[in-house]
Amino acid sequence: MSSASGWGALADEVKPACRRLARHPGFWVPAVLTLALGIGAAAAVFTVLDTIALKPLPYPHADRLVRLQSAVPLTGGPPMGLAKAEFLFFQSSAHAFQALGLYLIDRATVGEATGGQPPEQIYSAAVSAGVPGVLGVRPLLGRAPAREDGLAESPSVAWLGEGFWRRRFGGDSALVGRTVLIDGRPVQVAGILPAAARLPEEIQLREIRVDVWTPLRLDPAETPQASHRFRALGRLKPGIDLPTAQAELTRLTSQLLQALPSVYFQAFFRKTGFSTQAVPLRDDVLGDQIRMLWILFGAVGLVLLVACANAANLFLAQVETERREMAVRAALGAGRGRLALHFLLQALLLSLLAGGLALWLAHGAIRLLVALAPVDLPRLSEVHLGREGVLFTALLAFVIGGLFGLLPSARRGLESELLGTAGRGMTISGRQRAARNVLVVAQVALSLVLLTTAGLLFRSFHNLVSVRPGFEARGVLTFHVVLPKARYESFAAVDSFERELATRLAALPGIEATGFTSALPLTGFDGCSSVYAEGRSVTPGEGPPCLPIFFVGPGYFRALGVPLRGKAQEWSDGPGSPPVAVASEALARRLWPGQDPLGKAIGGNPSASYRVTAVAGDLRANGLEHPPIEALYLPLAAGSRSELGQPLRDVTVVVRTGSERPERMAPEIRHAVADLDPGVPVAEVRPMQEILRSSTARISFSTLLLAVSSGVALLLAALGIYGLLAFLMARRHREIGIRLAMGARREQVRRLVLFQSLRLAAAGVALGLAGAALTTRLLRSLLFGVDPLDPVTLGAAAAFLVLVAVAASWMPARRAMAVPPLEALRHE
């Protein structure tokens, strides 16, 4: 066929194809809606997956960036950061890295030296001079951080983020070289960082935006400490791969025993499995989110397959109605190619309509996904339906349309088959019936896989929310304050502020208790400190256990509703009172098994200067899915300061109210803090119940999406069974009429229809159970308290699908029973 004749044939078929679709809205409307739903869902999840997991991180040569972390797998805890002395040793000894950087994200209070706007609380980062080189950051204005900035005698300088600079200072370029107040102290602005200068945590968590960089003090002469709370990054040299860098880090880590003998012990390495790991930064930022996103993409892929099977059945039904017309065209000389072009154009028009609607659905679905997603889903702010999503949608629509169009013409001898069947009324061949049965069985099988997956996640979510966190969240409000260092430099000043704030808050109606803490439960804790305890001897070279230490103020346990045995520190205990400590039940069981811990000495140094006066109920610090943490609670307020080199000015306040809506107390709390010190802003006001919900947000998000996916697939499968049976019964009117005329009871006709439905459902369930057994294993890391092959979930999903199949076949069965025999005998 020449090019001109080919285009002519195409033009000749377009208008008739459009007219046919217009004449049969009962066919194309449900087909387009079904396909649009499947394609739109796939496009939405693909856009999220592409933005978060497939695109490289927004750094130059991001594939060469690694996270350096200290792993302690034998403790059961998450990897820790690096200590300053450890980092300095690696920096001077490692050769596999082009640059190494160390930083610590904290909170700060920022104001202007000349007054102006009220101070505000922000996130700041103390960074080493190597961080800009690792991330490929250059200042927008001013100079870059230098090694000299980290020396103790260097003047105080800071770099402001572009967004913060424009928002608070109006983008004034003359600000560089001027002074601003950070934590109440004058600091010179050395430069402005571009908006692209983001630390990995800012990509990882939506709630973190670092507005100020300050120099991290790194003094090689400083006494080394095992404080692994600093975050480290490295950029590999060109030509150096990750295994080579890891081998060097492993070698250098073993040398820490000789390089820093006062910090690292052989027994510590042996008991904790301590090692230094270089992890690709992409894997560190995304964590197990990649697996979750791929599972969700697979789920919507199954929904798309179910939608395609449903639409294919509709398309084949439409093809059956055109058999006579196609037979006539074949008799008049239309060849196989012309007939195939006829079906292909119809299918492409159908899929392109679906693709256009899918783009609109995908846009709305993406906005909904972003709104519902947990805060720890990285890069959500970057997600939008861009070019890649549009191309993906167009490609899906084109491929689906092409496959649909090839279905009728895929068999050999299309022309002769049409001619041979043109005189058989409305009966269909066994091959055609089998093909449609296969599509329905596939829908049932895929729906069962999705239903099982959603069921497992729902059971996992139920198990997770049933875990007791160790505190009573209802009625509790939390907020954060950072006391400016210039005015709160001494322990006495900090104590005075906290004591006065507790008094003022207690005077507010509805507030029952107030407490202070260095870290809230469920918000994550990845550090530990050496703990010396009475009755636990430390042999040379062994080292004490490394355990989490939290600092809390009077009233903390009462405010959180944590059960307490004994007496914790109170505000009435004066500076001369003996220093007291609270041990968690898990810690008491570990340090003094079978003994009463009350009265035991404990501390972070060999003198063990604290006495355990109370045992607190276990709390879960790192999430409900993790075991209770073995925690030591030391006082923030007056007493021995041996564990704190300087007062803790960055604290979270916990307030217990008698209200179900504690957030309503926020204005009064802000007013009370402002009355006490207008230079201390209140930030991150959150009910404790919100923190509790956010700890399960990831699994609830996955459960919700998979539940919606399985629900849509289940609906489409039910429609597929209904549509197939309705179609078959319409084609068997004559047969049913003959059966009824010959004495068959209507109940027998009903059983015939129901048996056909159950046979298809049973085949789909058997196939789906096999598929579920293979696919649910991928969920193991997302499940809590339930096995991927849980028989209860598998059985319930199978039974539910069979019930849906019976319900879907009920209407065709009723119609079949209502067929008048004489009318059926006249039906062709």
Side-chain angles (χ1 to χ4, degrees), residues 69-81 228 231 272-275 277 284 523-528 546 548 621-623 625-627 629:
Q69 58 190 21
S70 300
V72 284
L74 299 185
T75 67
M80 303 182 296
H228 294 81
R231 308 286 281 171
T272 64
F274 183 87
S275 65
Q277 297 177 340
D284 177 74
T523 56
F525 186 82
D526 59 359
C528 68
C546 193
N622 295 312
E625 68 274 23
H626 296 288
I629 196 167

Side-chain angles (χ1 to χ4, degrees), residues 398-420:
F398 183 79
V399 170
I400 291 171
L403 291 175
F404 279 16
L406 295 176
L407 282 176
S409 54
R411 302 184 298 273
R412 293 183 180 273
L414 175 66
E415 302 95 325
S416 59
E417 182 177 324
L418 288 169
L419 289 170

Side-chain angles (χ1 to χ4, degrees), residues 289-308:
Q289 306 280 14
I290 298 179
R291 178 185 291 270
M292 184 192 75
L293 290 173
W294 278 113
I295 288 173
L296 293 177
F297 186 61
V300 297
L302 294 182
V303 172
L304 178 59
L305 289 176
V306 173
C308 288

